[in-house]
Amino acid sequence: MRKYKKGLENALVTVLLILVAIAAVSLISYYFFSVLRHSMITTGLSISNVQMVGGIITGDLINQGASNITSITIQVHPQNNGTVISNYTNSSLNIPPGQSYAFTLPVPKAIEGNNYVITVIVKYNNGQTYATSVEVIDE
């Protein structure tokens, strides 16, 4: 009779070890897949060919995200002042990944020789937003 109980205890320990192993694998896979999901880059934007001459800013925006850009907001403010002096929004866009968008934006309050910060905020058709900035001098 003692042998029977010992066999039952071994079987119970084995079952418990299997359950602990399954729980550990589940937790590790949950962590791995959540980290992987959050690390995938789905947004991105580059600003190139930016110049400002006589209060007119021109440049190109390149969609480096994984979704279409549906809205762009461009804000301009002096380098040492957060007050926006020019604002442009276009909410009727459809810029696919890898494609560019050329912009021209007048800044009537610009002063030649001053530094300005251009902030670009885009919205994607998947609901995400992305913002980036670049500095430029009015020449």
Side-chain angles (χ1 to χ4, degrees), residues 4-62:
Y4 179 74
K5 284 187 177 181
K6 193 169 189 170
L8 184 61
E9 290 173 359
N10 287 342
L12 185 60
V13 168
T14 302
V15 169
L16 287 175
L17 285 174
I18 291 171
L19 289 175
V20 168
I22 291 171
V25 168
S26 297
L27 288 173
I28 290 169
S29 63
Y30 175 77
Y31 174 77
F32 174 77
F33 286 115
S34 67
V35 167
L36 183 64
R37 182 180 61 232
H38 291 295
S39 68
M40 295 174 65
I41 298 174
T42 57
T43 61
L45 179 73
S46 69
I47 305 172
S48 61
N49 304 323
V50 177
Q51 60 181 354
M52 185 174 191
V53 179
I56 305 290
I57 298 175
T58 58
D60 297 314
L61 306 175
I62 302 169

Side-chain angles (χ1 to χ4, degrees), residues 13-121:
V13 168
T14 302
V15 169
L16 287 175
L17 285 174
I18 291 171
L19 289 175
V20 168
I22 291 171
V25 168
S26 297
L27 288 173
I28 290 169
S29 63
Y30 175 77
Y31 174 77
F32 174 77
F33 286 115
S34 67
V35 167
L36 183 64
R37 182 180 61 232
H38 291 295
S39 68
M40 295 174 65
I41 298 174
T42 57
T43 61
L45 179 73
S46 69
I47 305 172
S48 61
N49 304 323
V50 177
Q51 60 181 354
M52 185 174 191
V53 179
I56 305 290
I57 298 175
T58 58
D60 297 314
L61 306 175
I62 302 169
N63 181 0
Q64 295 181 328
S67 299
N68 291 3
I69 292 175
T70 58
S71 175
I72 292 177
T73 299
I74 302 172
Q75 299 175 335
V76 181
H77 63 84
Q79 185 178 24
N80 297 323
N81 183 345
T83 303
V84 175
I85 60 172
S86 187
N87 192 26
Y88 167 80
T89 300
N90 187 338
S91 299
S92 60
L93 296 173
N94 190 25
I95 305 169
Q99 297 299 310
S100 64
Y101 174 80
F103 67 91
T104 300
L105 179 63
V107 184
K109 296 179 181 179
I111 299 170
E112 188 175 328
N114 283 3
N115 293 339
Y116 295 91
V117 176
I118 302 166
T119 301
V120 180
I121 304 162

